[in-house]
Amino acid sequence: MAQRKKEAALSPAAAGATVLTGGLLAFGVCLAVLAGAAGLMAVGKLGEEAMFRACCLGAALGGFAGGLYAALSCKSRLLPVALAAAGVSFLLWLLAGAAVYGSVSPGSAGALLAASLAGGGAAGVVAPRRKR
């Protein structure tokens, strides 16, 4: 009988690096969505009042992309890993907003947190589990 090799679990440092990389990916995807929305706003196709919705959409899409990357890289504890990657993305946006504007309104921060975690949670749920 051939014994199957067990996949080695990721070390905590490797899992943390994966979560951080997923958070950076989520940040980049959100930045790309916001750049596209700013371009549409510049040519007059998107009104200024829709920019907050575009921010929430970018946070959700970024959280999904980064969470999916992190969940597929770790292959265990998919939902917590995906949520952590989305949380890292939110913290990066929070730090960027505080650095640029000096303060962040709790209402907009709460909405962006909810959108990021919703995207990360969706990624953690739809990521395929490995077969045992």
Side-chain angles (χ1 to χ4, degrees):
M1 289 185 179
Q3 288 183 344
R4 290 189 224 169
K5 285 186 177 179
K6 284 189 173 182
E7 286 186 27
L10 285 178
S11 69
T18 299
V19 167
L20 184 61
T21 305
L24 289 172
L25 175 67
F27 185 79
V29 168
C30 186
L31 193 62
V33 169
L34 291 178
L40 288 174
M41 194 170 78
V43 297
K45 300 282 184 187
L46 187 66
E48 283 185 39
E49 65 279 351
M51 199 60 189
F52 182 70
R53 284 178 270 170
C55 288
C56 289
L57 176 68
L61 289 175
F64 185 81
L68 193 61
Y69 170 80
L72 291 176
S73 295
C74 278
K75 297 182 182 175
S76 65
R77 300 183 189 245
L78 303 179
L79 185 59
V81 167
L83 287 173
V88 167
S89 170
F90 169 73
L91 289 176
L92 289 172
W93 278 113
L94 193 67
L95 287 172
V100 170
Y101 297 113
S103 67
V104 178
S105 73
S108 63
L112 291 178
L113 174 63
S116 289
L117 291 180
V125 169
V126 301
R129 295 190 182 275
R130 71 166 199 246
K131 296 187 181 195
R132 294 182 182 225

